[in-house]
């Protein structure tokens, strides 16, 4: 694996030689993981539910062992902290994935945003930005958001308690379920 962040960013910026598909796959894995971590960090309330949503998304998207998932998560955290912007990561996904694959990634991003049961305005803003950077058509973006919202267990619980006449508790700076 990579040793330093400088080496990491150099790795992401280099063009992929035609004969090395493993490097291209590693770039996609890291770029995807960084965007998932960015969504987790958007509201400054990163919790275990969001971490588990990231690991589940990475496990579903890539065929990695548990120790590889943990290492990818750690690298993504470091890269996310030190990255000057998101363009390098979104451009990797734009080069490496089809429109359908990017829409699936957007759904994973929404799942992380909804993992704690609340969608903060910071998360929503970042998601809108990422949807634009990934060139996701608005209909696909909204459909991915809806699927993620329906899959979020706490959101479903909050909606059922709202239907039962109990108002769900809101955290400061958060929107419920939108």
């Amino acid at each position: 694996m990579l040793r330093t962040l400088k080496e990491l960013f150099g790795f992401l910026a280099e063009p992929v030689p035609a004969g090395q598909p493993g490097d291209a796959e590693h770039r996609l894995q890291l770029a995807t993981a960084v965007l998932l971590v960015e969504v987790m960090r958007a509201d400054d309330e990163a919790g275990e539910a969001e971490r588990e949503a990231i690991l589940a998304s990475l496990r579903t998207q890539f065929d990695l062992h548990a120790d590889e998932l943990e290492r990818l998560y750690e690298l993504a955290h470091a890269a996310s902290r030190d990255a000057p912007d998101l363009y390098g990561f979104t451009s990797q996904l734009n080069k490496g994935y089809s429109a359908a694959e990017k829409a699936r990634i957007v759904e994973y991003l929404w799942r992380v945003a909804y993992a704690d049961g609340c969608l903060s305005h910071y998360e929503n803003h970042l998601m809108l930005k990422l949807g634009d950077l990934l060139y996701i058509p608005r209909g696909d973006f909204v459909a991915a958001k809806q699927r993620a919202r329906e899959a979020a267990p706490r959101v479903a619980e909050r909606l059922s308690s709202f239907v039962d006449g109990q108002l769900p508790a809101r955290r400061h700076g958060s929107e419920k379920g939108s």
Side-chain angles (χ1 to χ4, degrees):
M1 273 292 181
L2 304 171
R3 283 179 244 136
T4 67
L5 287 177
K6 183 177 179 183
E7 187 177 317
L8 169 70
F9 290 121
F11 174 74
L12 285 172
E14 293 173 4
V16 180
Q20 298 187 351
D23 283 349
E25 181 65 18
H26 288 149
R27 291 169 202 254
L28 289 174
Q29 290 171 355
L30 182 59
T32 301
V34 167
L35 295 182
L36 290 163
V37 168
E38 282 290 324
V39 172
M40 178 182 76
R41 295 180 54 211
D43 65 359
D44 289 333
E45 295 182 25
E48 188 60 27
E50 290 169 316
R51 181 183 181 284
E52 288 302 319
I54 290 172
L55 293 175
S57 297
L58 293 173
R59 191 176 304 112
T60 302
Q61 182 68 22
F62 307 112
D63 186 25
L64 299 174
H65 298 291
D67 60 330
E68 293 172 315
L69 282 172
E70 285 296 328
R71 180 69 178 133
L72 179 57
Y73 179 79
E74 290 170 12
L75 280 172
H77 243 292
S80 173
R81 245 187 342 264
D82 297 330
D85 60 28
L86 300 174
Y87 178 77
F89 305 110
T90 58
S91 66
Q92 288 294 318
L93 299 186
N94 285 329
K95 291 175 195 170
Y97 285 140
S98 68
E101 290 168 321
K102 290 189 302 183
R104 186 173 348 112
I105 296 299
V106 167
E107 184 175 340
Y108 296 150
L109 294 169
W110 278 119
R111 286 179 185 227
V112 172
Y114 281 117
D116 63 358
C118 294
L119 178 67
S120 76
H121 63 279
Y122 298 113
E123 290 167 323
N124 193 56
H125 176 76
L126 177 59
M127 287 302 303
L128 291 169
K129 182 177 177 179
L130 290 173
D132 288 343
L133 288 170
L134 293 170
Y135 308 112
I136 303 296
R138 190 58 65 190
D140 293 344
F141 183 81
V142 171
K145 180 179 183 178
Q146 185 62 32
R147 286 190 304 271
R149 182 175 25 206
E150 290 169 359
R154 291 187 185 168
V155 172
E157 290 171 14
R158 292 169 66 112
L159 289 176
S160 68
S161 62
F162 182 73
V163 170
D164 293 338
Q166 301 171 359
L167 292 176
R170 291 182 61 176
R171 292 190 328 209
H172 178 68
S174 298
E175 299 172 11
K176 68 175 196 298
S178 55

